[in-house]
PDB file of all heavy atoms in Angstrom:
ATOM      1  N   ALA A  14     -34.657 -52.008 122.398  1.00 91.00           N
ATOM      2  CA  ALA A  14     -34.256 -52.239 123.788  1.00 91.00           C
ATOM      3  C   ALA A  14     -34.181 -50.919 124.549  1.00 91.00           C
ATOM      4  O   ALA A  14     -34.625 -50.829 125.701  1.00 91.00           O
ATOM      5  CB  ALA A  14     -32.906 -52.947 123.835  1.00 91.00           C
ATOM      6  N   GLY A  15     -33.647 -49.875 123.931  1.00 88.00           N
ATOM      7  CA  GLY A  15     -33.593 -48.566 124.573  1.00 88.00           C
ATOM      8  C   GLY A  15     -34.979 -48.010 124.846  1.00 88.00           C
ATOM      9  O   GLY A  15     -35.226 -47.414 125.900  1.00 88.00           O
ATOM     10  N   TYR A  16     -35.882 -48.199 123.892  1.00 88.00           N
ATOM     11  CA  TYR A  16     -37.258 -47.727 124.088  1.00 88.00           C
ATOM     12  C   TYR A  16     -37.917 -48.466 125.255  1.00 88.00           C
ATOM     13  O   TYR A  16     -38.550 -47.849 126.124  1.00 88.00           O
ATOM     14  CB  TYR A  16     -38.069 -47.934 122.814  1.00 88.00           C
ATOM     15  CG  TYR A  16     -39.522 -47.589 122.993  1.00 88.00           C
ATOM     16  CD1 TYR A  16     -39.936 -46.265 123.017  1.00 88.00           C
ATOM     17  CD2 TYR A  16     -40.478 -48.581 123.159  1.00 88.00           C
ATOM     18  CE1 TYR A  16     -41.266 -45.934 123.197  1.00 88.00           C
ATOM     19  CE2 TYR A  16     -41.804 -48.271 123.339  1.00 88.00           C
ATOM     20  CZ  TYR A  16     -42.198 -46.948 123.360  1.00 88.00           C
ATOM     21  OH  TYR A  16     -43.515 -46.628 123.542  1.00 88.00           O
ATOM     22  N   LEU A  17     -37.765 -49.779 125.314  1.00 87.00           N
ATOM     23  CA  LEU A  17     -38.376 -50.556 126.392  1.00 87.00           C
ATOM     24  C   LEU A  17     -37.776 -50.197 127.750  1.00 87.00           C
ATOM     25  O   LEU A  17     -38.505 -50.085 128.733  1.00 87.00           O
ATOM     26  CB  LEU A  17     -38.220 -52.050 126.122  1.00 87.00           C
ATOM     27  CG  LEU A  17     -39.143 -52.615 125.054  1.00 87.00           C
ATOM     28  CD1 LEU A  17     -38.801 -54.073 124.778  1.00 87.00           C
ATOM     29  CD2 LEU A  17     -40.592 -52.484 125.468  1.00 87.00           C
ATOM     30  N   LEU A  18     -36.473 -50.025 127.791  1.00 81.00           N
ATOM     31  CA  LEU A  18     -35.855 -49.632 129.057  1.00 81.00           C
ATOM     32  C   LEU A  18     -36.315 -48.243 129.488  1.00 81.00           C
ATOM     33  O   LEU A  18     -36.494 -47.978 130.680  1.00 81.00           O
ATOM     34  CB  LEU A  18     -34.334 -49.667 128.951  1.00 81.00           C
ATOM     35  CG  LEU A  18     -33.706 -51.056 128.932  1.00 81.00           C
ATOM     36  CD1 LEU A  18     -32.213 -50.954 128.676  1.00 81.00           C
ATOM     37  CD2 LEU A  18     -33.984 -51.782 130.227  1.00 81.00           C
ATOM     38  N   GLY A  19     -36.524 -47.355 128.528  1.00 82.00           N
ATOM     39  CA  GLY A  19     -37.029 -46.021 128.858  1.00 82.00           C
ATOM     40  C   GLY A  19     -38.461 -46.052 129.361  1.00 82.00           C
ATOM     41  O   GLY A  19     -38.844 -45.266 130.233  1.00 82.00           O
ATOM     42  N   ARG A  20     -39.259 -46.944 128.818  1.00 84.00           N
ATOM     43  CA  ARG A  20     -40.650 -47.054 129.264  1.00 84.00           C
ATOM     44  C   ARG A  20     -40.766 -47.770 130.605  1.00 84.00           C
ATOM     45  O   ARG A  20     -41.572 -47.392 131.449  1.00 84.00           O
ATOM     46  CB  ARG A  20     -41.490 -47.799 128.224  1.00 84.00           C
ATOM     47  CG  ARG A  20     -41.632 -47.106 126.902  1.00 84.00           C
ATOM     48  CD  ARG A  20     -42.442 -45.864 126.992  1.00 84.00           C
ATOM     49  NE  ARG A  20     -43.833 -46.217 127.248  1.00 84.00           N
ATOM     50  CZ  ARG A  20     -44.766 -45.351 127.570  1.00 84.00           C
ATOM     51  NH1 ARG A  20     -44.462 -44.098 127.682  1.00 84.00           N
ATOM     52  NH2 ARG A  20     -45.994 -45.732 127.792  1.00 84.00           N
ATOM     53  N   LEU A  21     -39.987 -48.811 130.804  1.00 81.00           N
ATOM     54  CA  LEU A  21     -40.095 -49.599 132.032  1.00 81.00           C
ATOM     55  C   LEU A  21     -39.338 -48.980 133.203  1.00 81.00           C
ATOM     56  O   LEU A  21     -39.684 -49.226 134.353  1.00 81.00           O
ATOM     57  CB  LEU A  21     -39.588 -51.026 131.786  1.00 81.00           C
ATOM     58  CG  LEU A  21     -40.393 -51.845 130.789  1.00 81.00           C
ATOM     59  CD1 LEU A  21     -39.727 -53.187 130.559  1.00 81.00           C
ATOM     60  CD2 LEU A  21     -41.821 -52.033 131.267  1.00 81.00           C
ATOM     61  N   ARG A  22     -38.291 -48.221 132.928  1.00 84.00           N
ATOM     62  CA  ARG A  22     -37.467 -47.543 133.936  1.00 84.00           C
ATOM     63  C   ARG A  22     -37.046 -48.492 135.068  1.00 84.00           C
ATOM     64  O   ARG A  22     -37.329 -48.234 136.244  1.00 84.00           O
ATOM     65  CB  ARG A  22     -38.208 -46.351 134.519  1.00 84.00           C
ATOM     66  CG  ARG A  22     -38.576 -45.299 133.524  1.00 84.00           C
ATOM     67  CD  ARG A  22     -39.250 -44.105 134.180  1.00 84.00           C
ATOM     68  NE  ARG A  22     -40.169 -44.412 135.234  1.00 84.00           N
ATOM     69  CZ  ARG A  22     -41.491 -44.524 135.097  1.00 84.00           C
ATOM     70  NH1 ARG A  22     -42.038 -44.347 133.941  1.00 84.00           N
ATOM     71  NH2 ARG A  22     -42.252 -44.797 136.125  1.00 84.00           N
ATOM     72  N   PRO A  23     -36.363 -49.577 134.755  1.00 82.00           N
ATOM     73  CA  PRO A  23     -35.999 -50.520 135.828  1.00 82.00           C
ATOM     74  C   PRO A  23     -35.054 -49.910 136.851  1.00 82.00           C
ATOM     75  O   PRO A  23     -35.127 -50.249 138.034  1.00 82.00           O
ATOM     76  CB  PRO A  23     -35.336 -51.677 135.074  1.00 82.00           C
ATOM     77  CG  PRO A  23     -34.854 -51.073 133.806  1.00 82.00           C
ATOM     78  CD  PRO A  23     -35.841 -49.996 133.464  1.00 82.00           C
ATOM     79  N   TRP A  24     -34.177 -49.031 136.439  1.00 81.00           N
ATOM     80  CA  TRP A  24     -33.232 -48.414 137.370  1.00 81.00           C
ATOM     81  C   TRP A  24     -33.973 -47.574 138.398  1.00 81.00           C
ATOM     82  O   TRP A  24     -33.707 -47.642 139.591  1.00 81.00           O
ATOM     83  CB  TRP A  24     -32.246 -47.557 136.581  1.00 81.00           C
ATOM     84  CG  TRP A  24     -31.097 -47.089 137.373  1.00 81.00           C
ATOM     85  CD1 TRP A  24     -30.928 -45.850 137.913  1.00 81.00           C
ATOM     86  CD2 TRP A  24     -29.941 -47.828 137.732  1.00 81.00           C
ATOM     87  NE1 TRP A  24     -29.750 -45.773 138.576  1.00 81.00           N
ATOM     88  CE2 TRP A  24     -29.118 -46.985 138.485  1.00 81.00           C
ATOM     89  CE3 TRP A  24     -29.525 -49.131 137.498  1.00 81.00           C
ATOM     90  CZ2 TRP A  24     -27.903 -47.401 138.987  1.00 81.00           C
ATOM     91  CZ3 TRP A  24     -28.317 -49.531 138.008  1.00 81.00           C
ATOM     92  CH2 TRP A  24     -27.529 -48.674 138.743  1.00 81.00           C
ATOM     93  N   GLN A  25     -34.938 -46.776 137.932  1.00 85.00           N
ATOM     94  CA  GLN A  25     -35.705 -45.923 138.847  1.00 85.00           C
ATOM     95  C   GLN A  25     -36.614 -46.762 139.747  1.00 85.00           C
ATOM     96  O   GLN A  25     -36.747 -46.486 140.933  1.00 85.00           O
ATOM     97  CB  GLN A  25     -36.541 -44.929 138.058  1.00 85.00           C
ATOM     98  CG  GLN A  25     -37.271 -43.945 138.931  1.00 85.00           C
ATOM     99  CD  GLN A  25     -38.032 -42.912 138.110  1.00 85.00           C
ATOM    100  OE1 GLN A  25     -38.051 -42.970 136.893  1.00 85.00           O
ATOM    101  NE2 GLN A  25     -38.643 -41.986 138.787  1.00 85.00           N
ATOM    102  N   ARG A  26     -37.218 -47.792 139.204  1.00 85.00           N
ATOM    103  CA  ARG A  26     -38.075 -48.666 140.012  1.00 85.00           C
ATOM    104  C   ARG A  26     -37.280 -49.384 141.089  1.00 85.00           C
ATOM    105  O   ARG A  26     -37.737 -49.535 142.220  1.00 85.00           O
ATOM    106  CB  ARG A  26     -38.785 -49.684 139.130  1.00 85.00           C
ATOM    107  CG  ARG A  26     -39.860 -49.081 138.274  1.00 85.00           C
ATOM    108  CD  ARG A  26     -40.482 -50.125 137.390  1.00 85.00           C
ATOM    109  NE  ARG A  26     -41.349 -49.533 136.417  1.00 85.00           N
ATOM    110  CZ  ARG A  26     -42.650 -49.775 136.355  1.00 85.00           C
ATOM    111  NH1 ARG A  26     -43.205 -50.600 137.196  1.00 85.00           N
ATOM    112  NH2 ARG A  26     -43.385 -49.185 135.440  1.00 85.00           N
ATOM    113  N   LEU A  27     -36.078 -49.834 140.744  1.00 84.00           N
ATOM    114  CA  LEU A  27     -35.229 -50.489 141.717  1.00 84.00           C
ATOM    115  C   LEU A  27     -34.822 -49.517 142.822  1.00 84.00           C
ATOM    116  O   LEU A  27     -34.843 -49.858 144.007  1.00 84.00           O
ATOM    117  CB  LEU A  27     -33.993 -51.060 141.021  1.00 84.00           C
ATOM    118  CG  LEU A  27     -33.080 -51.955 141.836  1.00 84.00           C
ATOM    119  CD1 LEU A  27     -33.835 -53.205 142.289  1.00 84.00           C
ATOM    120  CD2 LEU A  27     -31.862 -52.325 141.027  1.00 84.00           C
ATOM    121  N   GLY A  28     -34.509 -48.297 142.437  1.00 83.00           N
ATOM    122  CA  GLY A  28     -34.172 -47.284 143.434  1.00 83.00           C
ATOM    123  C   GLY A  28     -35.349 -46.929 144.321  1.00 83.00           C
ATOM    124  O   GLY A  28     -35.198 -46.749 145.536  1.00 83.00           O
ATOM    125  N   ASP A  29     -36.541 -46.823 143.740  1.00 85.00           N
ATOM    126  CA  ASP A  29     -37.740 -46.535 144.532  1.00 85.00           C
ATOM    127  C   ASP A  29     -38.023 -47.660 145.522  1.00 85.00           C
ATOM    128  O   ASP A  29     -38.421 -47.416 146.661  1.00 85.00           O
ATOM    129  CB  ASP A  29     -38.946 -46.317 143.629  1.00 85.00           C
ATOM    130  CG  ASP A  29     -38.855 -45.040 142.825  1.00 85.00           C
ATOM    131  OD1 ASP A  29     -38.013 -44.176 143.166  1.00 85.00           O
ATOM    132  OD2 ASP A  29     -39.624 -44.901 141.854  1.00 85.00           O
ATOM    133  N   TRP A  30     -37.858 -48.900 145.065  1.00 82.00           N
ATOM    134  CA  TRP A  30     -38.077 -50.034 145.962  1.00 82.00           C
ATOM    135  C   TRP A  30     -37.116 -49.989 147.136  1.00 82.00           C
ATOM    136  O   TRP A  30     -37.513 -50.174 148.292  1.00 82.00           O
ATOM    137  CB  TRP A  30     -37.912 -51.338 145.188  1.00 82.00           C
ATOM    138  CG  TRP A  30     -37.921 -52.540 146.079  1.00 82.00           C
ATOM    139  CD1 TRP A  30     -39.011 -53.174 146.597  1.00 82.00           C
ATOM    140  CD2 TRP A  30     -36.779 -53.236 146.587  1.00 82.00           C
ATOM    141  NE1 TRP A  30     -38.618 -54.228 147.378  1.00 82.00           N
ATOM    142  CE2 TRP A  30     -37.251 -54.287 147.388  1.00 82.00           C
ATOM    143  CE3 TRP A  30     -35.406 -53.082 146.436  1.00 82.00           C
ATOM    144  CZ2 TRP A  30     -36.402 -55.173 148.031  1.00 82.00           C
ATOM    145  CZ3 TRP A  30     -34.560 -53.961 147.077  1.00 82.00           C
ATOM    146  CH2 TRP A  30     -35.068 -54.995 147.865  1.00 82.00           C
ATOM    147  N   ALA A  31     -35.845 -49.754 146.847  1.00 80.00           N
ATOM    148  CA  ALA A  31     -34.847 -49.714 147.914  1.00 80.00           C
ATOM    149  C   ALA A  31     -35.123 -48.559 148.874  1.00 80.00           C
ATOM    150  O   ALA A  31     -35.012 -48.716 150.092  1.00 80.00           O
ATOM    151  CB  ALA A  31     -33.449 -49.593 147.320  1.00 80.00           C
ATOM    152  N   ALA A  32     -35.504 -47.397 148.342  1.00 78.00           N
ATOM    153  CA  ALA A  32     -35.810 -46.257 149.212  1.00 78.00           C
ATOM    154  C   ALA A  32     -37.014 -46.553 150.095  1.00 78.00           C
ATOM    155  O   ALA A  32     -37.027 -46.204 151.277  1.00 78.00           O
ATOM    156  CB  ALA A  32     -36.068 -45.014 148.366  1.00 78.00           C
ATOM    157  N   ASP A  33     -38.026 -47.205 149.547  1.00 79.00           N
ATOM    158  CA  ASP A  33     -39.193 -47.567 150.354  1.00 79.00           C
ATOM    159  C   ASP A  33     -38.816 -48.558 151.452  1.00 79.00           C
ATOM    160  O   ASP A  33     -39.307 -48.460 152.577  1.00 79.00           O
ATOM    161  CB  ASP A  33     -40.286 -48.173 149.483  1.00 79.00           C
ATOM    162  CG  ASP A  33     -40.986 -47.142 148.632  1.00 79.00           C
ATOM    163  OD1 ASP A  33     -40.843 -45.940 148.918  1.00 79.00           O
ATOM    164  OD2 ASP A  33     -41.670 -47.536 147.667  1.00 79.00           O
ATOM    165  N   GLN A  34     -37.973 -49.519 151.133  1.00 76.00           N
ATOM    166  CA  GLN A  34     -37.560 -50.495 152.129  1.00 76.00           C
ATOM    167  C   GLN A  34     -36.804 -49.827 153.265  1.00 76.00           C
ATOM    168  O   GLN A  34     -36.999 -50.154 154.426  1.00 76.00           O
ATOM    169  CB  GLN A  34     -36.677 -51.567 151.495  1.00 76.00           C
ATOM    170  CG  GLN A  34     -37.383 -52.436 150.502  1.00 76.00           C
ATOM    171  CD  GLN A  34     -38.501 -53.232 151.128  1.00 76.00           C
ATOM    172  OE1 GLN A  34     -38.312 -53.880 152.144  1.00 76.00           O
ATOM    173  NE2 GLN A  34     -39.669 -53.188 150.533  1.00 76.00           N
ATOM    174  N   VAL A  35     -35.947 -48.884 152.918  1.00 72.00           N
ATOM    175  CA  VAL A  35     -35.119 -48.235 153.932  1.00 72.00           C
ATOM    176  C   VAL A  35     -35.923 -47.226 154.737  1.00 72.00           C
ATOM    177  O   VAL A  35     -35.848 -47.181 155.960  1.00 72.00           O
ATOM    178  CB  VAL A  35     -33.906 -47.555 153.266  1.00 72.00           C
ATOM    179  CG1 VAL A  35     -33.148 -46.703 154.253  1.00 72.00           C
ATOM    180  CG2 VAL A  35     -32.992 -48.611 152.671  1.00 72.00           C
ATOM    181  N   ARG A  36     -36.721 -46.405 154.077  1.00 72.00           N
ATOM    182  CA  ARG A  36     -37.413 -45.305 154.757  1.00 72.00           C
ATOM    183  C   ARG A  36     -38.633 -45.737 155.534  1.00 72.00           C
ATOM    184  O   ARG A  36     -38.811 -45.358 156.680  1.00 72.00           O
ATOM    185  CB  ARG A  36     -37.867 -44.276 153.716  1.00 72.00           C
ATOM    186  CG  ARG A  36     -36.877 -43.238 153.469  1.00 72.00           C
ATOM    187  CD  ARG A  36     -37.493 -42.128 152.641  1.00 72.00           C
ATOM    188  NE  ARG A  36     -36.440 -41.593 151.801  1.00 72.00           N
ATOM    189  CZ  ARG A  36     -36.586 -41.217 150.569  1.00 72.00           C
ATOM    190  NH1 ARG A  36     -37.748 -41.285 149.992  1.00 72.00           N
ATOM    191  NH2 ARG A  36     -35.580 -40.757 149.890  1.00 72.00           N
TER     192      ARG A  36
END
Side-chain angles (χ1 to χ4, degrees):
Y16 175 77
L17 285 174
L18 286 174
R20 295 292 290 170
L21 296 176
R22 299 183 321 264
W24 191 259
Q25 185 177 3
R26 289 178 190 242
L27 189 62
D29 291 345
W30 172 81
D33 287 344
Q34 294 297 310
V35 171
R36 270 191 213 141

